[in-house]
């Protein structure tokens, strides 16, 4: 089965002058690609490219008298992609297939290698492809045998592996039932890795016919390579074959002659036999340990793969993190909690326990003892240090020391905690929260490998959560923009509509028949209304321009000595007609003078915005404006007794396009308070509000009398 299958030698033809000239002119630019697949081509322990296919390339180079440029070794899928896209001109050791022949030219095969069926000892003595239905059959992904089996035996349950060694290791650990592999790779790895638990159960009709593959757009290179291969002798090919194909034999302790020999010498060499038995036990322990490590690594890879699926299925971060907690409980812990930090406050968004009966304990823990920066718990320590924490062994005393009180400690003990891990959730340099895992299973203690796995889970969760959060912020920004555009369009349309109506009315007035007097009083009324609507339109546009200037950092102040009392009186006088229409009675109380080094026009804008809001939302009830003059600070207080708003709206009413009431019932762009805050803070002052629904609102502006230099808030 392991003997070489060489093609019959053919008389080699010399290169034609055209071929020699082409080869000479292109010698420096021809790129040879290689793929990693021992023993055909691989990087050996000395860092050199080695293998059967590599030896054939070197022999071909000697025959042609050139040396190809070599691309770095890659996996076979990447090599085929490079050749298909023109980055590589030729390669050695490929098997012709219908799929590859669509874009490659193949030389005549220079060697044929049979493929065999390898199984574990004790499973099957002999096996054929027809008998393998229902078995897990490992095969190199994108290898020639893989394409052959998919095409001719679709009934087989194939397990593609990245390389032959991975497939043989999976076969030895029981993750696969059989493997289809060519004899060169089988003999190489079984000999090198001492995989004595494997044996050959049969062979397949398919064999690897290794050939040189050339890009289809270079037929002259194909002819040159074929002539170089034709110059190789059978002796040269036999040397390469013998260098890489090793025959393996049955282990010596399975030979009957060995046991007959042991039976004869059992009394005399008892000590030797005992030593051998001890050595075998140690070897089995090593094999079991290695098998366990491989199985654990496979479980971890599967766990991380499932983690990635969960984190990519939804942008609802609460549902995403809740499912992640349940997954951690199934694979990594007895209980799991995830805390997130928002606006400096920690809140628990997910918790899971292997026992549903203990889930109420997690709810109680989240309600009474959440993680916080100053707390003693492991999660609190992680929030302070931004570093992961590993607790391989946790005693009752340790739990007492990391708990806030006795009740807290009893909850942790009731959850079943003997070992724990706490790792930070970090994205873009910011700590987003903490992932905490606890184990109470006897015999399971967390170690460094578990900590590394938890950190990898936390890293993926952080990225997914950060993306979900940014997506939600973007959606909220889009919503605010759309609402603003709707309101802005409505607010701008109202004065424009009124302007058109007033202009139409003026047009009719001027169409007075000859001999009749034009009604000047009616014209004056219409012009007054036109001016009012133009002023309203101008105010709306000025608000938009102010926001634009603030956004690009061009919000400047023209400071001078200004008396706030005088500013208030002037604004009140300008709004006298609006006050009269609203029915609200205004009380103005001032402690004059209230002089400071301010921008007069901007202060007028602040007073007008606050008093305008009071008139709009005051519902006709009394209003109050006060100026309180202190030694360093002058305060402006505007109070109404109108509709008010809930406390949760305080923070956002000073933001762009935000409001505490529906835009359907009250006009405006939602920019007045935002601009007012920018003006006040640029003056170095503060603005705040106190409000109760149904009882009204009180806005308080505090302005320092003199600030040498201030810049707009970011």
């Amino acid at each position: 089965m392991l003997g070489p299958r060489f093609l019959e030698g053919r008389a080699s033809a010399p290169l034609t002058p055209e071929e020699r000239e082409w080869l000479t002119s292109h010698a420096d630019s021809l790129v040879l690609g290689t793929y990693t697949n021992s023993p055909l081509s691989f990087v050996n322990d000395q860092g050199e490219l080695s293998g059967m296919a590599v030896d054939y390339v070197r022999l071909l180079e000697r025959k042609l008298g050139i040396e190809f440029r070599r691309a770095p070794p890659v996996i076979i899928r990447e090599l085929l992609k490079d050749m298909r896209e023109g980055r590589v001109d030729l390669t050695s050791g490929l098997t012709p297939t219908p799929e590859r022949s669509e874009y490659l030219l193949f030389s005549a095969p220079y060697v044929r290698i049979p493929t065999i069926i390898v199984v574990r000892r004790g499973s099957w003595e002999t096996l054929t492809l027809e008998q393998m239905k229902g078995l897990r059959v490992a095969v190199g992904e994108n290898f020639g045998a893989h394409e052959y089996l998919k095409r001719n035996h679709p009934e087989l349950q194939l397990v593609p592996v990245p390389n032959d060694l991975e497939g043989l290791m999976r076969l030895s650990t029981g993750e696969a039932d059989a493997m289809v592999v060519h004899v060169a790779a089988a003999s190489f790895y079984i000999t090198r890795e001492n995989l004595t638990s494997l044996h050959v159960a049969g062979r397949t009709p398919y064999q690897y016919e290794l050939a040189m593959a050339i890009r289809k757009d270079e037929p002259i290179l194909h002819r040159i390579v074929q002539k170089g291969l034709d110059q190789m002798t059978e002796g040269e090919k036999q040397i390469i074959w013998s260098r890489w194909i090793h025959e393996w034999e049955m282990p010596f302790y399975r030979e009957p002659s060995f046991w007959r020999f042991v039976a004869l010498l059992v009394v005399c060499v008892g000590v030797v036999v005992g030593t051998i038995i001890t050595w075998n036990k140690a070897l089995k322990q090593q094999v079991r340990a290695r098998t366990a490590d491989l199985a654990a690594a496979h479980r971890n890879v599967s766990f991380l793969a499932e983690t990635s699926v969960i984190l990519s299925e939804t942008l609802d971060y609460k549902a995403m993190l809740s499912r992640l907690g349940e997954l951690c409980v199934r694979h990594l812990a007895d209980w799991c909690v995830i805390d997130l930090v928002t606006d400096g406050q920690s809140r628990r968004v997910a918790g899971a326990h292997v026992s549903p009966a203990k889930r109420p304990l997690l709810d109680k823990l989240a309600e009474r003892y959440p993680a916080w920066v100053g707390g003693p718990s492991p999660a609190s320590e992680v929030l302070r240090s931004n570093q992961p924490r590993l607790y391989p062994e946790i005693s009752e005393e340790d739990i007492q020391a990391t708990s806030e009180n006795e009740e807290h400690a009893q909850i942790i003990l009731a959850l079943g905690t003997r070992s724990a891990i706490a790792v930070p959730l970090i994205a873009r340099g910011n700590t987003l929260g903490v992932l905490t895992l606890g184990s109470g299973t006897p015999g399971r203690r967390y170690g460094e490998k578990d900590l590394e796995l938890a950190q990898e889970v936390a890293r993926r969760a952080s990225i997914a959560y950060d993306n979900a959060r940014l997506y939600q912020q973007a959606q909220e920004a889009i919503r605010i923009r759309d609402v603003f555009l709707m309101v802005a369009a409505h607010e701008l349309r109202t004065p424009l509509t009124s302007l058109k109506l007033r202009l139409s009315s003026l047009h009719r007035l001027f169409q007075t028949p000859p001999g009749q007097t034009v009604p000047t009083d009616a014209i004056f009324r219409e012009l007054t209304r036109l001016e009012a609507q133009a002023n309203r339109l101008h105010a709306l546009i000025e608000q938009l321009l102010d926001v634009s200037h603030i956004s690009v950092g061009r919000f400047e102040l023209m400071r001078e000595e200004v008396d706030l009392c005088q500013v208030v009186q002037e604004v009140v006088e300008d709004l006298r007609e609006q006050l009269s229409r609203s029915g609200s009675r205004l009380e103005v109380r001032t402690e004059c003078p209230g002089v400071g080094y301010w921008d007069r026009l901007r202060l007028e804008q602040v007073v007008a915005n606050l008093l305008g809001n009071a008139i709009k939302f005051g519902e006709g009830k009394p209003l109050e404006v006060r100026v309180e003059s202190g030694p360093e600070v002058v305060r402006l207080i505007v109070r109404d007794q109108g509709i008010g708003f809930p406390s949760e709206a305080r923070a956002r009413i000073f933001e762009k396009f935000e409001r505490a009431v529906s835009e359907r019932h009250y006009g405006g762009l939602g920019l007045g308070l935002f601009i007012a805050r920018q003006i006040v803070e640029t003056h170095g002052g503060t603005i705040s509000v106190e409000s109760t629904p149904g009882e009204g609102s009180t806005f308080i502006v505090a302005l320092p009398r003199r600030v040498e230099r201030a810049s707009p808030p970011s």
Side-chain angles (χ1 to χ4, degrees), residues 645-652:
F645 53 83
S647 58
E648 59 266 21
R650 289 183 187 178
R652 62 183 175 84

Side-chain angles (χ1 to χ4, degrees), residues 544-563:
L544 293 175
L545 289 175
D546 283 342
V547 172
S548 176
H549 291 158
I550 292 169
S551 300
V552 298
R554 293 171 55 190
F555 194 66
E556 299 178 354
L557 300 179
M558 302 296 292
R559 293 179 181 271
E560 60 180 321
E561 282 195 356
V562 178
D563 187 348

Side-chain angles (χ1 to χ4, degrees), residues 405-710:
N405 52 39
E406 181 61 27
E407 182 188 43
H408 189 189
Q410 291 303 317
I411 294 176
I412 300 298
L413 288 170
L415 287 172
T417 308
R418 299 185 180 184
S419 186
I421 292 175
V423 292
L425 303 175
I426 299 176
R428 294 183 290 131
N430 299 319
T431 299
L432 307 179
V434 184
L435 168 68
T436 307
L437 304 172
S439 173
T441 303
R444 181 164 73 178
R445 296 294 180 266
Y446 290 132
E448 291 296 332
K449 291 185 178 180
D450 298 305
L451 178 60
E452 292 175 2
L453 181 61
Q455 287 181 284
E456 178 61 22
V457 172
R459 185 184 69 82
R460 300 186 184 196
S462 301
I463 295 173
Y465 165 63
D466 194 42
N467 288 339
R469 186 180 60 170
L470 292 175
Y471 172 78
Q472 291 182 358
Q473 291 174 354
Q475 292 297 106
E476 178 63 16
I478 292 172
R479 184 194 66 79
I480 293 173
R481 180 205 64 187
D482 292 342
V483 171
F484 165 71
L485 291 176
M486 178 185 68
V487 173
H490 173 74
E491 289 297 317
L492 293 172
R493 185 188 299 117
T494 300
L496 285 174
T497 302
S498 182
L499 282 172
K500 291 176 64 178
L501 292 175
R502 298 303 172 193
L503 288 172
S504 298
S505 179
L506 281 174
H507 187 266
R508 288 193 300 271
L509 289 173
F510 279 106
Q511 290 178 341
T512 304
Q516 293 186 10
T517 304
V518 176
T520 56
D521 55 341
I523 293 175
F524 181 76
R525 284 196 305 273
E526 293 300 330
L527 288 175
T528 302
R529 292 167 181 169
L530 278 172
E531 182 180 14
Q533 295 303 325
N535 289 337
R536 181 180 177 186
L537 188 60
H538 177 265
L540 292 172
I541 294 173
E542 285 297 319
Q543 283 189 337
L544 293 175
L545 289 175
D546 283 342
V547 172
S548 176
H549 291 158
I550 292 169
S551 300
V552 298
R554 293 171 55 190
F555 194 66
E556 299 178 354
L557 300 179
M558 302 296 292
R559 293 179 181 271
E560 60 180 321
E561 282 195 356
V562 178
D563 187 348
L564 184 58
C565 299
Q566 182 181 356
V567 171
V568 169
Q569 293 294 343
E570 292 174 355
V571 172
V572 169
E573 187 62 31
D574 290 340
L575 297 178
R576 186 67 64 185
E577 183 179 349
Q578 188 177 346
L579 278 166
S580 177
R581 290 198 306 269
S582 69
S584 295
R585 178 177 57 83
L586 174 63
E587 179 182 359
V588 180
R589 293 189 295 170
T590 58
E591 298 177 4
C592 298
V595 178
Y597 193 60
W598 305 313
D599 185 318
R600 172 181 291 274
L601 293 178
R602 292 300 182 184
L603 283 192
E604 289 178 357
Q605 197 173 353
V606 172
V607 176
N609 280 339
L610 296 181
L611 187 54
N613 273 356
I615 295 172
K616 182 191 298 185
F617 302 116
E619 295 187 322
K621 297 178 181 179
L623 309 177
E624 179 183 0
V625 177
R626 297 202 312 271
V627 177
E628 298 178 351
S629 183
E632 299 293 335
V633 175
V634 179
R635 288 181 173 81
L636 169 69
I637 301 171
V638 179
R639 183 175 184 274
D640 68 74
Q641 301 177 33
I643 61 175
F645 53 83
S647 58
E648 59 266 21
R650 289 183 187 178
R652 62 183 175 84
I653 63 172
F654 292 105
E655 300 298 330
K656 283 186 292 188
F657 316 132
E658 290 288 354
R659 60 186 73 226
V661 296
S662 172
E663 64 273 4
R664 295 184 178 181
H665 301 92
Y666 295 90
L669 298 176
L671 294 174
L673 292 179
F674 169 73
I675 295 172
R677 187 189 67 151
Q678 301 296 317
I679 294 173
V680 171
E681 292 182 355
T682 305
H683 278 88
T686 61
I687 182 170
S688 60
V689 62
E690 298 175 359
S691 183
T692 303
E695 297 181 10
S697 304
T698 301
F699 287 86
I700 303 170
V701 175
L703 293 169
R705 290 183 181 272
R706 179 178 293 273
V707 176
E708 293 301 327
R709 184 177 181 84

Side-chain angles (χ1 to χ4, degrees), residues 180-193:
V180 175
V181 59
H182 62 73
V183 67
S187 66
F188 179 83
Y189 285 124
I190 289 176
T191 301
R192 192 185 75 174
E193 303 294 329

Side-chain angles (χ1 to χ4, degrees), residues 22-23 26-34 57 60-61 66-74 79 82-92 104 212-215 217-218 221 225:
W22 187 93
L23 185 61
H26 290 78
D28 294 334
S29 62
L30 294 176
V31 178
L32 173 78
T34 56
V57 170
L60 176 64
E61 288 175 331
I66 65 168
E67 185 174 348
F68 301 110
R69 288 175 53 201
R70 284 167 168 75
V74 294
L79 174 62
D82 288 343
M83 297 194 73
R84 190 163 48 244
E85 295 177 359
R87 291 187 289 272
V88 171
D89 299 286
L90 73 164
T91 188
S92 175
L104 295 176
M212 296 291 295
I214 300 95
R215 284 170 38 195
D217 58 349
E218 294 180 342
L221 177 60
V225 168

